[in-house]
Amino acid sequence: MRILLIGGSGYVGSLMLPGLAAHHEVRVLDLVPPQGDCDHVVGSATDPRLLAAALDGMDAVVHAAMGRRSDTDWPHPDTASAFEVNVASVYATLEAAHAAGVPRAVLIGSLSVFDEGRLIDRDVDEDSEPDGTNVYGVTKRLAEQVGRIAADAHGLTVTVLRLAFPTPDEVWPRWALPVAEEPVEIRRADGSLVPALAASDLSAAVSAALERDGGGYDVFHIVGADDSGPGWRTDKARDGLGWVARHR
């Protein structure tokens, strides 16, 4: 499959790129050159003309671009970036995909659509109502709505993958937080470990989402394997995508 990977040079995009490139023909749209040897289009996903050119000849698009995260409230410049990248560029991408006749899109979402202050110790699944209210959570919630609208309006197959703590395989189960000097362990209030999502599991989930049958809009939780008890369920991804986390 020929895939346009938007944001393929960022943290999450770089994690999934090697696995995708092993099985697909990948073109990256990003301001920064990607790792490895793949076609690179320099620019922003908010540029309609650039998107049209980058989508030419593609079978699917994966949107993995992410605006700068900040705990600072609006109108800090980082919050403006979050809305521009996490929402506006998703809208622009899906409109351009429709115009180019590209029928499939995968949007890299986040479990941060739920209140991050309570998320670690909550049991949530795809039917749980998102309640995130910080800038990042709100923009990811809005991006999901943009995806649903595009699927309904244009007949696109739009799949949202809500991730939690994506990390390189070599440091799993720790999370290589991009702004931290060392990978960190994520633990619940009771001390139990929350495994991060290994890069190879992430790329496998994206590949599975690209092949999803049924059309329309859907959302799946893609998180690290955790057999310790109740928590973030991935039953829907197992049943709907045939995906399970292999790192255990």
Side-chain angles (χ1 to χ4, degrees), residues 111-131:
L111 280 190
S112 292
V113 296
F114 301 104
D115 180 1
E116 290 183 335
R118 301 184 294 124
L119 179 57
I120 293 295
D121 292 294
R122 289 174 68 181
D123 297 342
V124 295
D125 61 21
E126 291 84 352
D127 293 327
S128 302
E129 186 68 25
D131 57 1

Side-chain angles (χ1 to χ4, degrees), residues 7 12 41 43 57 64 73 84 86 88 107 124 150 173 178-179 182 207 226 232 247:
V12 176
V41 177
D73 292 330
E84 180 180 23
N86 297 347
L107 307 182
V124 295
V179 297
E182 296 291 337
S207 288
D226 183 3
W232 303 337
H247 277 69

Side-chain angles (χ1 to χ4, degrees), residues 112-202:
S112 292
V113 296
F114 301 104
D115 180 1
E116 290 183 335
R118 301 184 294 124
L119 179 57
I120 293 295
D121 292 294
R122 289 174 68 181
D123 297 342
V124 295
D125 61 21
E126 291 84 352
D127 293 327
S128 302
E129 186 68 25
D131 57 1
T133 58
N134 64 13
V135 169
Y136 184 64
V138 168
T139 58
K140 299 307 275 187
R141 290 173 67 181
L142 291 172
E144 292 186 3
Q145 293 303 308
V146 169
R148 184 185 293 275
I149 291 167
D152 292 344
H154 302 315
L156 300 177
T157 298
V158 179
T159 307
V160 174
L161 303 181
R162 291 176 179 163
L163 313 184
F165 309 124
T167 199
D169 283 10
E170 57 268 24
V171 302
W172 184 91
R174 295 172 296 161
W175 180 33
L177 178 66
V179 297
E181 293 183 1
E182 296 291 337
V184 297
E185 289 185 343
I186 308 298
R187 293 190 177 273
R188 301 183 184 91
D190 64 5
S192 60
L193 179 68
V194 179
L197 173 65
S200 57
D201 285 331
L202 167 59

Side-chain angles (χ1 to χ4, degrees), residues 21-107:
H23 302 285
H24 305 281
E25 182 180 333
V26 181
R27 173 183 294 166
V28 170
L29 190 159
D30 202 302
L31 292 167
V32 178
Q35 300 175 5
D37 183 20
C38 63
D39 189 13
H40 178 215
V41 177
V42 181
S44 167
T46 58
D47 184 334
R49 292 185 179 181
L50 188 67
L51 279 168
L55 283 161
D56 184 45
M58 297 292 103
D59 300 309
V61 58
V62 177
H63 189 288
M66 187 179 81
R68 293 187 297 274
R69 287 209 57 167
S70 174
D71 294 329
T72 306
D73 292 330
W74 186 272
H76 191 276
D78 283 356
T79 62
S81 166
F83 278 90
E84 180 180 23
V85 178
N86 297 347
V87 185
S89 77
V90 172
Y91 178 82
T93 295
L94 296 176
E95 289 297 305
H98 168 60
V102 176
R104 292 177 174 269
V106 176
L107 307 182

